[in-house]
Structures are given as structure tokens and as C-alpha cells.
Amino acid sequence: MIFTETKLKGAYIVDIKRIEDERGFFGRAWCQKEFEEMGLSANVVQTNLSSNKKKGTLRGMHFQVTPFAESKLVRCTRGALYDVIIDLRQNSPTYMQWLGVELTADSFRMLYVPENFAHGFLTLEDDTDITYQVTQFYAPGAERGIRFNDPAFNIQWPIEPQIISEKDKAHANFVHELAQPIAG
């Protein structure tokens, strides 16, 4: 696996190291040992799948608070999406910065999202699927969200979101989340 650190400390783009021949290629999409050697959380307890029918579907920005904060390894398995993360760790040099990465089924590229980051995505094609491995079980009482268009972050989405759940539309701006600060 090839790990490339992003501008957000602790977040990585993960590419498959391909062994190619006339049949195609072989490579690892997950290796606990390699993640541990990079100092990344490798305690995967759950794999989630999100299937999205229409281009312009936005899901996010979601996170779980401590002690249920989770790391994620995100991959687009069908179609294409714009994956966005926000560093919410108050002690981080990249606190309140965001990063967007295009993930496609054809690229096999993945994004490693550390604990205490908000995560969301916007589909760029119809019939887009995303899987993500997480290091904590879903804990409804620890779930939080930030509005996708919160002016505190000014995320530049590549297309206008068309489909957003009522729950995601109702998320507060980040300033309201400061009542429960995130360590890290």
C-alpha cells in the first residue's frame, strides 16, 4: 500500500500498490500490519456501505465524539464522489481546515480519516457506492454533525448538492458544537 500524507495532519490518501500483468493487477486494499507501521488506527470493527442513486447526493458532515470517535478508511466502489474531511482536533496545527479528494471506483484510491474529523461526501455520478471501514461501533448518542455549507469552513463543493436529507440540512454550524469541545 502507498500512503501519502495530506495537508491535514494524520489524514492519508491510500493507493493500492499494484502488481500488474496481462490479466490486470493484484494489490492489498487493507493490511493491519501496514496501517500499524504507519502509526494509524487499525482496529477495524465495522464496515459500512452507502449506496446513492443520484448524482448530487450529499451526506455529511458527520462524526462521533470521544470515547466513540472513529477513524475511517473510505473507498468508492462504484461511480465517483467528492470526499470531504474537516480536522476538528483543537490541538492540531490543521484545526478547522478541510480537504476534498475525488474518489472513483476506477482509481481504487482510498482516504484514511483520523479520529475527531468530520466526514462527508457528494456523489459525482448516478449510482455511486462508498464503503468505509471504521474503528468504533456506531453510537447514536455520540453522533454529531456540522452543516455542509457552514461558513466557518467554506467548503468548495465541485457541483451544487441536489439531494440532502432533512437530518443533514438541520445540522448546526460548528460554533454551536464548541459547547462540547473535541480533544485530540
Side-chain angles (χ1 to χ4, degrees), residues 57-116:
T57 299
L58 187 136
R59 295 181 187 253
M61 303 295 296
H62 306 140
F63 62 99
Q64 290 190 166
V65 293
T66 303
F68 301 101
E70 60 189 354
S71 296
K72 298 177 182 178
L73 181 63
V74 181
R75 180 170 174 257
C76 178
T77 56
R78 181 170 65 154
L81 58 94
Y82 189 67
D83 207 54
V84 174
I85 57 176
I86 304 171
D87 187 349
L88 300 179
R89 303 168 299 172
Q90 291 180 345
N91 297 328
S92 170
T94 56
Y95 177 59
M96 290 189 64
Q97 293 181 32
W98 68 274
L99 171 77
V101 177
E102 187 171 324
L103 301 177
T104 68
D106 292 340
S107 75
F108 300 94
R109 175 167 274 179
M110 296 171 280
L111 181 63
Y112 175 81
V113 184
E115 290 181 2
N116 297 312

